[in-house]
Amino acid sequence: MRHNRTVMVAANWKMNLKVGEASRFMHRLEEKIAIRQNVECVLAPNFLALQPISVNLDRRKFRLASQDGFYNDFGAYTGEVSMAMLHDIVHYSIIGHSDRRHKFNESDDVLAKKVQAAIRNDIIPILCVGETLQERLANETHHVLHRQLSSDTLNITSREMSVMVIAYEPVWAIGTGKTPTPEEAQEAMAFIRKQIKDLHGDRAAKYARILYGGSVKPDNARTFMELKDCDGVLVGGASLDSDQFASIHNTAYKIAQMKDL
Ligand code: PEP
């Protein structure tokens, strides 16, 4: 069990990079990213690229995440890849990304099963939560975050919650170049930590990591990572540029030193 909240920088490559391209890109990143004990760098390639990348991965620098994973372990679910199959390959699984919630209509019931399946298979969930623009404008942000957290972490023990990662990703900030102000981001992440405390207790709230995600770039990464309740960033677009991602990783290292991790 971790005794501090190591800063995490996670790259969500989404449905980009063919297998060979993903491997080449991983090697380019490897050259630009230094080994940092107090920063955890996580790469989330597509399912096809995961396996070959896992064979060549420099484990001193990177850990792998899947971008999703099915909740039943085996059976007649054509087209799916289960958490049981991912068990040997990844440390983490991104669950409930807004693409999954909004483009594939994944419900909180389904996401709760995916969270449980990940944990059952020794994979740590990176659970994404966040409000749409419409919900923010209607002052429903807290309501949405509460609903997502309470439903998606149903039947999770306090100990399991304490190793989980929650990514606060306002839907309106993903891939748009728009971001919340630091105050808005901190307020939402503090609310998330308070929800974790109310639902799963003090220890879980103390150790669970909360990431910010949504248009993170080299020039704003520090602003978010400095925030009291922020333990790192989940990066989409900028993670496909090795210089930008390496720069964000370097910022994370400075923040980790500043926070004395
Ligand atoms: C994401 O897809 O999780 C994300 C945060 O994307 P972007 O950084 O491009 O906004």
Side-chain angles (χ1 to χ4, degrees):
M1 180 85 61
R2 281 176 295 105
H3 292 295
N4 62 28
R5 304 201 312 245
T6 309
V7 174
M8 177 182 282
V9 179
N12 177 13
W13 294 350
K14 310 190 197 184
M15 200 179 71
N16 293 296
L17 304 176
K18 295 180 185 175
V19 174
E21 292 168 338
S23 285
R24 284 193 292 279
F25 184 69
M26 186 269 289
H27 285 302
R28 253 203 318 282
L29 271 183
E30 200 175 273
E31 285 165 13
K32 293 182 183 173
I33 281 182
I35 298 170
R36 303 290 194 201
Q37 303 293 353
N38 47 8
V39 178
E40 201 176 359
C41 187
V42 177
L43 307 178
N46 65 66
F47 280 133
L48 271 181
L50 264 176
Q51 210 279 335
I53 283 189
S54 77
V55 177
N56 293 306
L57 196 72
D58 184 339
R59 290 169 202 282
R60 296 165 307 169
K61 295 186 181 177
F62 302 116
R63 285 186 161 168
L64 289 180
S66 63
Q67 297 176 14
D68 189 21
F70 193 59
Y71 52 79
N72 285 334
D73 290 348
F74 300 98
Y77 302 97
T78 304
E80 292 293 332
V81 176
S82 72
M83 296 291 182
M85 294 164 173
L86 292 162
H87 161 86
D88 291 334
I89 298 177
V90 302
H91 261 88
Y92 295 97
S93 181
I94 298 173
I95 297 175
H97 187 276
S98 84
D99 289 341
R100 305 299 317 171
R101 289 183 191 268
H102 298 287
K103 295 178 187 166
F104 296 92
N105 293 320
E106 288 194 2
S107 66
D108 285 313
D109 285 351
V110 163
L111 297 175
K113 288 191 206 171
K114 291 189 172 187
V115 168
Q116 287 165 33
I119 289 171
R120 183 170 73 239
N121 287 289
D122 292 322
I123 295 171
I124 299 175
I126 300 176
L127 174 68
C128 300
V129 296
E131 79 288 357
T132 61
L133 182 59
Q134 206 181 9
E135 288 162 342
R136 175 159 280 265
L137 294 176
N139 253 327
E140 288 172 359
T141 300
H142 284 189
H143 174 73
V144 170
L145 294 176
H146 170 75
R147 192 199 68 229
Q148 293 175 337
L149 285 165
S150 57
S151 312
D152 302 352
T153 65
L154 202 69
N155 298 326
I156 295 304
T157 67
S158 168
R159 189 182 163 78
E160 289 162 350
M161 186 69 225
S162 71
V163 294
M164 266 180 68
V165 181
I166 304 293
Y168 171 57
E169 298 211 307
V171 180
W172 50 274
I174 300 178
T176 59
K178 296 192 183 117
T179 55
T181 64
E183 293 75 22
E184 287 169 334
Q186 167 55 27
E187 196 277 332
M189 290 188 284
F191 180 78
I192 288 170
R193 204 171 292 288
K194 172 79 167 58
Q195 292 301 299
I196 296 173
K197 180 177 153 82
D198 292 349
L199 293 162
H200 300 282
D202 287 339
R203 188 180 166 79
K206 185 169 174 200
Y207 291 117
R209 282 178 290 177
I210 301 176
L211 310 182
Y212 168 77
S215 297
V216 172
K217 307 285 177 224
D219 61 359
N220 64 15
R222 186 183 186 95
T223 312
F224 294 110
M225 283 193 268
E226 270 175 351
L227 299 172
K228 178 169 173 283
D229 282 293
C230 185
D231 303 302
V233 285
L234 177 52
V235 188
S239 75
L240 292 165
D241 178 312
S242 57
D243 287 324
Q244 289 193 27
F245 191 66
S247 162
I248 294 169
H249 182 269
N250 209 32
T251 301
Y253 173 59
K254 290 183 191 148
I255 296 285
Q257 283 182 308
M258 204 181 79
K259 291 188 174 176
D260 201 17
L261 294 171

